[in-house]
Amino acid sequence: MSMEQVNVNIGLLGCGTVGTSLLELIHEQREVISQRTGLVIDVAMVSVRDVSKSRTAPIDPTLFTDDPKQVVESADVDVVVEVMGGIDPSRELISKALELGKPVVTANKELLAAHGEELYALADQSGVDLLFEAAVAGGIPIIRPLRESLAGEPITRVMGIVNGTTNFILTKMTEEGMSFADALEEAQKLGYAESDPTADVGGHDAAAKAAIIASLAFGGRVNSDDVYVEGITEITPEDIEFAHRLGHCIKLLAIVEKQESNGAESLCVRVHPSMVPLTHPLANVQESFNAIFVEGDSVGELMFYGRGAGGPPTASAVLGDLIDASCNIKRSSAASIGDFTSINISPIADLETQYFFEVEVEDQPGVLAQVAAVLGEQNVSIQSMEQEGLESEARLIFITHKALESSFQAAIGALDKLKIVRNIGTVLRVIGID
Ligand code: NAP
Ligand code: HSE
């Protein structure tokens, strides 16, 4: 029996790194998609900021416009794909498309982490899809597993590397001794970074992804403002060397976990550089690869791994969504994301974890005892310590046992006031030992 053929015209908003790769992939896979699904995908219009730019995408140049509204409203467009990025005008354009009853596929984590709930509700009202697999971890299928396969799982923690640019930079600094600036420049050339790369290196891109993951995994309302964020801009080659000496590497992690805060259940959502033991699977996630661990009471541990950034992997995720949305047009159905409940977000001060820190002190008798006493007063217990002599001082490098963040920060504040302390160096949270 031959499959019914259905023509689907897409309107593409944006033709940069992801948009260009998507057009190439559609061009290459058009026949295969048609054979497998009966969908004949055509591109009806493409909006860009500057129509005079020379472009390599395999597409009729007359389809370009600098008016994205025209794309959304065109009667020839059945599905809107948004790969422009940013909040405005993407928010208005996606809202318009949904109001017009057109399914939308987007890779825009910044927008979803800030205004997701309003857009999901609009999609539900119109009975159409709003799909966003590419918004988190590039080519790795993580949104669909969280939305569908794990919908009934009592998830306890999701933790991972969700930003390709920063993982690329940290890998290059560690493996090749490359400078931060050179590694960032290479990540930009390879199409991994956001148009404003401070979103990557400052941790805000990972924070947007953490908010989306938190909402889906825990069914609660979590947006980017709920995420505690530290980026990697302060990490130095020396920090990386110390970490290695102690059997660790440094990774930017996004962590969403359930915890008890003042007797009530809450969610701690955070992004920060972390010391990861070299024996931990996350330590082997290199370059632009991402990896996400999902832990649940029934399923145990799952790990999702793959390329987290770059045109082709991201386009693969967008195309999967596009096919899904198009098949749903054929079936007159749509996947609802469901309702979100309000959820307590615990402050970072309530976190309990291990810490790495480095203190430069005067090299004289009794110094170690003074430092240990300050830590002890705040209930911070030392797991390991290394000392090295500098010219006229000593450097102490500590890893603590688990301690309360507020106590640890109080200890660091008190150490800073000691006369024998010349400088408090890098402070990092440590995962995976205790
Ligand atoms: P990009 O290379 O900067 O491309 C953006 C495209 O949108 C360009 O074609 C640009 O036009 C167009 N555009 C931007 N602002 C516009 C405006 N106001 N009006 C009309 N057109 C506008 O960005 P990208 O890397 O492809 O990323 C696109 C989206 O995918 C972002 O949301 C990003 O976070 C997400 N994403 C990216 C990756 C990745 O690895 N790159 C991975 C996952 C998700 P011009 O070409 O004329 O400048
Ligand atoms: N800039 C992002 C990253 C793109 O480096 O991970 C993928 O979302």
Side-chain angles (χ1 to χ4, degrees), residues 50-107:
D50 177 3
V51 279
S52 68
K53 235 188 223 178
S54 97
R55 303 195 185 256
T56 56
I59 188 171
D60 175 358
T62 63
L63 298 180
F64 285 103
T65 169
D66 59 5
D67 181 1
K69 214 160 165 252
Q70 197 194 340
V71 175
V72 168
E73 291 176 355
S74 165
D76 292 337
V77 167
D78 304 310
V79 182
V80 172
V81 177
E82 185 274 313
V83 284
M84 286 167 48
I87 306 272
D88 293 314
S90 298
R91 180 183 179 188
E92 195 191 327
L93 293 164
I94 291 178
S95 302
K96 185 72 191 169
L98 296 171
E99 279 161 13
L100 291 171
K102 298 184 186 190
V104 173
V105 174
T106 178

Side-chain angles (χ1 to χ4, degrees), residues 13-21 46-53 55 64-68 82-86 88-90 93 106-111 133-139 165 190-196 200 205 209 308-315 318:
L13 305 177
C15 189
T17 303
V18 180
T20 303
S21 290
V46 181
S47 73
V48 289
R49 203 176 352 221
D50 177 3
V51 279
S52 68
K53 235 188 223 178
R55 303 195 185 256
F64 285 103
T65 169
D66 59 5
D67 181 1
E82 185 274 313
V83 284
M84 286 167 48
D88 293 314
S90 298
L93 293 164
T106 178
N108 193 335
K109 55 264 161 148
E110 186 189 356
L111 175 64
E133 187 60 72
V136 178
T165 302
L190 290 165
Y192 301 154
E194 296 302 300
S195 54
D196 174 1
D200 295 293
D205 177 80
K209 292 164 179 168
T314 309
V318 174

Side-chain angles (χ1 to χ4, degrees), residues 171-330:
T171 304
K172 292 290 173 191
M173 285 173 75
T174 306
E175 305 291 321
E176 296 172 27
M178 206 183 255
S179 74
F180 184 99
D182 286 351
L184 172 58
E185 198 182 319
E186 197 171 328
Q188 287 178 288
K189 274 192 203 136
L190 290 165
Y192 301 154
E194 296 302 300
S195 54
D196 174 1
T198 54
D200 295 293
V201 297
H204 300 287
D205 177 80
K209 292 164 179 168
I212 295 170
I213 289 172
S215 305
L216 297 180
F218 296 92
R221 264 176 222 117
V222 183
N223 66 37
S224 14
D225 294 339
D226 296 318
V227 186
Y228 174 83
V229 192
E230 284 174 29
I232 63 159
T233 48
E234 305 291 314
I235 301 295
T236 63
E238 217 176 21
D239 296 331
I240 291 172
E241 191 199 313
F242 287 151
H244 265 252
R245 231 194 283 162
L246 297 171
H248 289 68
C249 63
I250 299 176
K251 296 286 185 192
L252 183 73
L253 297 188
I255 304 172
V256 184
E257 62 191 332
K258 259 194 195 168
Q259 64 179 45
E260 290 270 311
S261 194
N262 296 324
E265 197 169 87
S266 66
L267 210 55
C268 181
V269 193
R270 55 199 166 100
V271 168
H272 51 70
S274 305
M275 293 261 290
V276 176
L278 292 172
T279 50
H280 194 283
L282 285 175
N284 293 320
V285 178
Q286 306 287 25
E287 307 248 336
S288 68
F289 281 85
N290 284 189
I292 301 160
F293 279 98
V294 180
E295 293 164 27
D297 286 339
S298 290
V299 76
E301 263 196 11
L302 300 168
M303 182 173 170
F304 298 82
Y305 172 81
R307 286 217 180 260
T314 309
S316 167
V318 174
L319 182 56
D321 278 351
L322 180 54
I323 292 171
D324 205 4
S326 304
C327 287
N328 282 341
I329 295 179
K330 212 166 128 179

